[in-house]
Amino acid sequence: MATDSHGMGGRDPQATPGSFGAGEPARPFEGQHHARGYEGALDAPLKGRQMVVNLGPSHPAMHGVTRAVVALEGETIVEMKLDIGFLHRGFEKSCENVTWGQCFPYTDRLNYVSSILNNVGFALVVEKLCKMEVPLRARYLRVLTGELHRICDHLTLVAAMGLELGAMTVFLYGIEARDLIWDRLTEICGARLTSNYVRVGGVSRDCPDDWPAKVEQTLARVAELRETIDKLLTRNRIFMDRTRGTGVISREDALDFGFTGPCLRASGEPYDIRKAAPYLVYDQLDFDVPVGKNGDNFDRYLMRMEEMRQSDRIVRQCLRQMEPGDIVVQDFRYVLPPKPQVYGTIEGLMAHFKLVMEGIKVPAGEAYSYTEAANGELGFYAVSDGGGRAYKLGLRAPGWPMVAALPHMTKGALLADLVPTYDSINMIGGEVEQ
Amino acid sequence: MASDLDTTPVIATRREEATGFFQRMVSKGLGWARKNSLWQYPYVTACCGMEYMSVSSARYDIARFGAEVPRFSPRQADLLLVVGTINCKQAPILKRVYEQMSEPKWVIAFGVCASSGGFYDNYATMQGIDRVIPVDVYIPGCPPRPEQVLDGLMLLQRKIQDQQHKLIDRAQVPTLAQGGGERR
Ligand code: SF4
């Protein structure tokens, strides 16, 4: 039963080793299977009827912004339709109205749980158009802060998943760890959540001197909390029963739907852009890519737990390998000159004025950059006509294919399994609805 | 902080004075009870929701203000926390939720998006929730720090304490249908 790609949701007696009926084949069910069709000749049951239930848009399990219209037969989902657009904020159009540098705050708010990863993705596309080489230290800082934010993203997912399956403690631990990481990010970029840290050509500022040591201490505490969460959830019978074998998607289906990131890897496809097409300094770092097998909610949860450990490794390596140096390119067509030059030289003043008033002049052309964000492939497609603004900006949101596959994944499952499935694909309204 | 007892209006007509003392005591008592037991409906849509998570968990601990119980049914809530961007598609739903809440009710606009549309000055985003529902406290910031949120909550508590509370309010509340909106 569990191998059925349509998820049999919590009915599988093999769900938990040691639980009642585990290891036995599914027993024949002697009752009435279905509201229609199986009645005995003498039964006179009430006629079943499909019920249509609206989940959302303001529903705690829908994370606020999606409306799911679910047709139910009993508790089984017969059909599900998604209605999105409740958080459409006109990202692409907004970016076409501002200079390239001013787009960064908008990218922060795409996947707002890991904004630096979005910043990096956008910076890479602009740098591709400008054919620019970024200094090594800036690349390290980008990877470092990005991986910190990846930990935040996964922590949030695990915390929210625990909360929605009834494990409030997990939520409190997860948020505590996330607050600690946010403190470190505040020290480096001034904001807790919407970092706006990366710039075209580098990053906005260097880290304070005592920062690396603090990061290591923070990571130690975060690891402690993460292992606590791991102990609370991973072998927890209720959690396993709710997540194993639910929301299953096979490897082929996942590929067909265009999954990327942890959700694809949970289905058994070892594809990670950080390994497949390394950008920044990922080719110099040593980390593993966890791959799952079943493609169910439990595997997707495990992927997140393991990726947090790997990100931890990456951050530590970055701290060790990083060397002092420039944090932005020294090219005043792209980067504001330092203040002494602005006030002391006419060239500096001119460059400052031009950059502030007109923005960066990106050469005409088009480019696509793809990076591994917390949910999968984050793609930016930019067209420039040589003016100071984006002529067209396109976004490939990593969460979008997963949301699109949701009706397929939950077909035939129980209504209660919709909640963990919705959690584990990690739909983030900001990026999916742009 | 203004005194909790400071609820007497400066200019009192005779009629108010005549019924005043008992009413004032009731009002003060109700105000005190209501401000310290706010049940909130978190209308979470976007990035500010991440800060809302922080506010409501251990470090910032909104429970200190008696407002830790999120209710996802508008009928059980008396504080509507609008957390995040409200766009034109979302606005009617927000209004419906607000109307379903029973009196007395208060609204906090959490973050600049809810307060004014923030930097999403475009075709999709509503420029502030006060275009559809009344707002008591605006919390600026994109997203606001948790301290700011708690400050906003304290402001609201002060406002509630200073309001006139009645045991029974017979005044009819205007609804969407009466206001010429859609009827169903
Ligand atoms: S105020 Fe800022 S952080 Fe809050 S929802 Fe709006 S854009 Fe997001």
Side-chain angles (χ1 to χ4, degrees), chain A residues 57-58 60 64-65 83-90 94 105-106 109 112 172 175 178-179 182-183 192-194, chain B residues 41 43-45 47 50-51 53-54 57 59-60 72 85 87 89-90 93 119-120 122-124 142-143 145-146:
Chain A
S58 185
V65 283
D83 180 8
I84 65 160
F86 292 99
L87 191 53
H88 177 74
R89 303 191 274 196
S94 299
Y106 287 107
R109 287 150 184 84
Y112 33 75
L172 295 178
I175 300 297
R178 201 181 69 172
D179 267 341
W182 278 357
D183 282 349
R192 279 162 60 84
L193 175 62
T194 45
Chain B
Y41 180 103
Y43 197 93
V44 176
T45 59
C47 357
M50 298 300 122
E51 279 296 13
M53 283 183 182
S54 280
S57 58
R59 187 195 282 193
Y60 294 101
F72 286 97
T85 320
N87 68 7
K89 192 171 176 180
Q90 185 90 272
I93 300 149
F119 74 164
Y120 288 104
N122 58 26
Y123 62 93
C142 183
R145 284 189 64 93

